[in-house]
Amino acid sequence: SLRCPMAVVEETSPQLALKAERGDSMKLSQLALGLVIGAVGLGLLAPVPSVGQASRTWTVCPQGGCDFQRIQEAIDAAADGDTILIRAPGIYRENLTITKSLTIAPFQAFPVILQPAGAFIGPVITVKGERAIRVTLKDLIVQGWAVDQGFAVYITGQAQVSFNNIEVGPSVYFGLTVYDQAQVTIKDSRFRENGTGLSIGDSSQVIVESSIFFANRVSAIFVSRNGQLRLVRSTIFGTELNAFSGIGIDAVDASRVVIEGSQIYNNRASGLVAGGSSTIEISNSTVAYNGTSGILLTEQANLVVRESVIHNNPWGIAAFLIKCGFDRDWYSGGTVQIDPSTVLVKNGKGDICLP
């Protein structure tokens, strides 16, 4: 709770219809957005055209004395390359749509909380890259918190978006959804108490650095159909729904996940699940104290593990097979490379169960 006086700004918006559907038994309650993805190299962001005019700074405060009283009014007035500074702490109830290159941040290090304007299913922030744009969001808290207000941030198209010190959640469904070739960089941020903290798809790339995902319910991160994630020096813990869906990172279809120097622990189901023909590469990381397995492979998933420690899980690394105690054979064989530099120890059922 915030102890300083809080401004509350409300704005109504038309209802957005965003449909979701449940996955199979391994992703119970996992909501999918029908993502169709093409492979893109991690970390290689496409250039955005430079802004040809001098940038301008616009200010927002609800009580007057600024350029605008609402953030969306400032967004509408701004040109590519402008900055919007929020000059008063408080709760801003708006559903923002961004279609141009902007920076949005508080004027100082005080709390600015963005919440939905009304009772409908729709994102608090929507970034639409109908053309190449670059958006920076800094020092904000975004909450899609009520039962019928289930999305926080939704990014699509030719958008390059930078998150710096952003807190996302609580949110019933997705905290941050990235699809349709969008590119996102997340640094020093927190994703908490969402259905799924981060969902990636549709030829999109996301790089996460020095960030924390905790107390999300279905999965901390869901990557689907050629989506690409690079997780660096970050922590995922406490995903909590149940033994089927409390997953740290859930990678399906032909997605690719690279994990470096990170900690994945104390998730109710598996720390990592790889399905379809997805690939997970782990280095210099720890996977520990998860509920059913450290790393679980299904279908034709691929795994590479180097210089990591996997300990105190029921299974360290397991395939979804009857021989490993599962109810059917649901792993038909991908490639598994476990480097001798990896330590597997104190996993209760066993360190490795593979075909």
Side-chain angles (χ1 to χ4, degrees):
S1 63
L2 304 176
R3 298 183 181 275
C4 55
M6 302 291 287
V8 178
V9 180
E10 297 199 29
E11 175 175 297
T12 61
S13 300
Q15 181 167 352
L16 301 177
L18 296 178
K19 298 181 180 179
E21 60 184 20
R22 295 183 182 272
D24 57 29
S25 61
M26 281 306 301
K27 300 181 289 293
L28 182 63
S29 298
Q30 174 65 65
L31 303 174
L33 293 177
L35 308 175
V36 182
I37 301 168
V40 181
L42 279 169
L44 303 177
L45 300 181
V48 172
S50 60
V51 177
Q53 61 185 33
S55 61
R56 180 173 177 177
T57 297
W58 305 86
T59 57
V60 176
C61 50
Q63 304 304 323
C66 294
D67 297 314
F68 299 98
Q69 292 184 323
R70 300 184 186 279
I71 302 170
Q72 187 64 55
E73 291 173 350
I75 291 170
D76 294 341
D80 277 325
D82 287 356
T83 296
I84 296 170
L85 293 181
I86 304 169
R87 295 185 64 92
I91 299 172
Y92 290 75
R93 294 196 175 120
E94 303 188 50
N95 290 80
L96 306 177
T97 299
I98 303 169
T99 60
K100 59 190 76 171
S101 296
L102 296 173
T103 295
I104 302 176
F107 174 67
Q108 294 178 333
F110 47 58
V112 170
I113 302 171
L114 305 180
Q115 292 180 351
F120 63 87
I121 297 177
V124 181
I125 300 175
T126 299
V127 181
K128 293 183 178 180
E130 297 171 352
R131 57 187 176 88
I133 61 172
R134 181 178 287 124
V135 175
T136 299
L137 303 173
K138 298 193 295 185
D139 304 326
L140 300 170
I141 300 170
V142 187
Q143 298 176 339
W145 52 271
V147 172
D148 55 355
Q149 299 165 346
F151 296 81
V153 185
Y154 197 62
I155 300 172
T156 179
Q158 302 176 61
Q160 294 181 15
V161 181
S162 296
F163 281 65
N164 194 338
N165 190 31
I166 299 293
E167 182 170 301
V168 179
S171 180
V172 172
Y173 298 140
F174 296 104
L176 169 59
T177 298
V178 184
Y179 87 115
D180 192 21
Q181 304 181 48
Q183 300 170 342
V184 175
T185 300
I186 299 166
K187 294 183 179 180
D188 301 315
S189 295
R190 298 156 303 284
F191 291 74
R192 66 180 183 91
E193 298 178 75
N194 303 284
T196 291
L198 167 61
S199 180
I200 307 167
D202 244 3
S203 299
S204 296
Q205 309 169 54
V206 177
I207 300 172
V208 180
E209 298 182 21
S210 304
S211 296
I212 297 174
F213 294 74
F214 66 96
N216 298 286
R217 291 177 293 282
V218 177
S219 57
I221 303 176
F222 177 55
V223 192
S224 175
R225 300 178 193 171
N226 293 330
Q228 300 197 36
L229 166 70
R230 183 177 178 187
L231 187 78
V232 182
R233 296 184 303 278
S234 295
T235 301
I236 293 174
F237 69 95
T239 313
E240 59 187 9
L241 183 61
N242 56 42
F244 294 101
S245 292
I247 299 169
I249 298 178
D250 191 1
V252 301
D253 307 313
S255 58
R256 181 167 179 253
V257 174
V258 176
I259 301 168
E260 303 170 2
S262 296
Q263 313 289 322
I264 300 173
Y265 67 93
N266 199 30
N267 300 285
R268 183 167 292 188
S270 297
L272 300 160
V273 174
S277 58
S278 62
T279 298
I280 293 180
E281 300 180 20
I282 308 171
S283 62
N284 296 297
S285 296
T286 299
V287 181
Y289 296 104
N290 297 286
T292 59
S293 55
I295 302 172
L296 179 63
L297 305 177
T298 71
E299 300 172 291
Q300 294 179 308
N302 307 292
L303 175 67
V304 179
V305 187
R306 303 184 185 93
E307 298 178 334
S308 295
V309 180
I310 302 172
H311 69 92
N312 289 100
N313 307 280
W315 285 114
I317 299 173
F320 198 108
L321 297 170
I322 293 173
K323 66 173 284 189
C324 302
F326 296 96
D327 62 355
R328 66 187 186 277
D329 290 332
W330 196 26
Y331 180 68
S332 53
T335 60
V336 177
Q337 302 176 41
I338 304 172
D339 192 85
S341 59
T342 294
V343 175
L344 291 107
V345 64
K346 295 184 179 180
N347 296 288
K349 295 182 179 179
D351 292 330
I352 298 175
C353 183
L354 296 172

